[in-house]
Amino acid sequence: MGRGSSGPSTGVPAPRGSMRQRLDRLVREAVKFGAVGGAGLLVNLLVFNLVRQVTDLPVVRASVIATVVAIVFNYIGFRYFTYRDRDKSGRTKEMSLFLLFSAVGLVIENGLLYTATYGFGWDSPLQSNVFKFLGIGVATLFRFWSYRTWVFRALPGAAAAGAPAAGPVAKGGREPTGPPSRQRVP
């Protein structure tokens, strides 16, 4: 049967709307994450280059300082902008997990810079910034997954429908839409 044909009605709404809502929420979340992350990227690179210019610290130490400043900046942005609608009841656990996953991201980010600097001898300011940027990119993929999965968890039931969790929920996380006889099937 083609897309436009109508088959037997099963009374179950097509999952396309539900999938579309999930995709829309994920895209909005990714855009907000990207906005905070983009600002954090600027903070990270500005602090990195400032520390390199003002001090005689080795490149990786300057990078670690910049990453820590960006982590603090990003936590505030994620908690109060990107994930402001997420569960806020366990702040100590949330902060601990955020710091743990941020530390893993710090190791990923600065490990790449360390390898480029000390493994390959690429230590010019341009090369350091390129590998700092690449390290941030790789670490960002890990951070996005870990923050949304473990740190800023969705409230139970609220994320599935994008509304409060009150009321009965049908199998699959959808709210009941009435008896099958009253549903319209396109």
Side-chain angles (χ1 to χ4, degrees):
M1 290 185 173
R3 179 183 165 124
S5 65
S6 61
S9 176
T10 61
V12 177
R16 183 170 184 256
S18 171
M19 291 293 287
R20 177 67 183 199
Q21 288 174 344
R22 285 174 150 174
L23 182 61
D24 288 346
R25 277 195 306 270
L26 181 62
V27 167
R28 279 193 303 273
E29 180 182 338
V31 167
K32 287 181 177 183
F33 186 91
V36 172
L41 170 71
L42 291 176
V43 167
N44 197 331
L45 291 174
L46 287 171
V47 171
F48 173 64
N49 285 292
L50 182 65
V51 170
R52 291 239 18 224
Q53 293 295 320
V54 176
T55 70
D56 291 331
L57 287 175
V59 76
V60 176
R61 286 188 190 156
S63 180
V64 168
I65 291 168
T67 303
V68 168
V69 171
I71 286 170
V72 171
F73 177 87
N74 286 345
Y75 178 78
I76 293 166
F78 292 142
R79 169 42 51 215
Y80 298 104
F81 177 66
T82 305
Y83 298 113
R84 69 176 172 242
D85 61 334
R86 300 288 177 97
D87 186 11
K88 296 178 181 105
S89 63
R91 281 289 167 97
T92 303
K93 181 180 178 184
E94 174 186 282
M95 179 96 46
S96 299
L97 288 172
F98 182 84
L99 291 174
L100 171 71
F101 292 122
S102 294
V104 172
L106 182 143
V107 169
I108 293 169
E109 174 183 331
N110 292 293
L112 188 62
L113 181 62
Y114 180 90
T115 302
T117 303
Y118 300 110
F120 296 102
W122 297 329
D123 194 22
S124 74
L126 177 61
Q127 290 168 329
S128 294
N129 277 289
V130 165
F131 285 100
K132 173 90 172 140
F133 184 79
L134 289 174
I136 290 170
V138 172
T140 296
L141 295 173
F142 169 77
R143 288 178 177 131
F144 179 71
W145 169 80
S146 63
Y147 294 166
R148 77 180 309 269
T149 304
W150 300 102
V151 180
F152 301 107
R153 298 187 63 132
L155 292 168
V169 177
K171 184 177 180 181
R174 293 185 299 267
E175 295 210 21
T177 57
S181 62
R182 295 189 341 191
Q183 291 179 352
R184 295 186 70 191
V185 178

